[in-house]
Amino acid sequence: MAPRRARIAFSDSAAKQLEQITSEAEIHALDRALVVVSVDPDVGEALPGDSASPQLRQYTDDVERVRLLYWVTALRTVVVVAYIEV
């Protein structure tokens, strides 16, 4: 049985950023990056921070030119995207 993919949820600020994306190429690039993160939430590099807040991670796809900042919940089933750059 294949491992279950993480569910993606967007913060309010990320949702507003999504509304600004109109290019088909940017939407396609973002979709590809979200699939990568949903399949392996640990794929991104951990960003420095303190232990009081969620551990932010950064995933960068240099080919598609996409960067995502996100954190993984304690249950490791939901990835919350905090920032999108396409």
Side-chain angles (χ1 to χ4, degrees):
M1 182 179 204
R4 191 172 63 131
R5 287 174 37 174
R7 184 173 61 94
I8 303 288
F10 298 97
S11 67
D12 290 342
S13 61
K16 288 178 185 171
Q17 290 176 3
L18 282 173
E19 292 172 4
Q20 303 300 317
I21 299 174
T22 58
S23 160
E24 289 279 332
E26 289 179 343
I27 291 169
H28 177 73
L30 178 59
D31 282 346
R32 288 175 47 98
L34 291 171
V35 167
V36 169
V37 171
S38 73
V39 170
D40 181 7
D42 293 325
V43 71
E45 67 181 81
L47 297 176
D50 59 44
S51 60
S53 59
Q55 174 68 57
L56 281 177
R57 302 188 69 78
Q58 172 179 265
Y59 171 72
T60 304
D61 182 330
D62 294 327
V63 174
E64 296 286 353
R65 295 184 9 216
V66 174
R67 182 171 72 126
L68 303 174
L69 294 183
Y70 64 96
W71 72 88
V72 182
T73 67
L75 296 176
R76 301 194 47 77
T77 57
V78 179
V79 176
V80 179
V81 177
Y83 179 77
I84 303 165
E85 184 177 280
V86 180

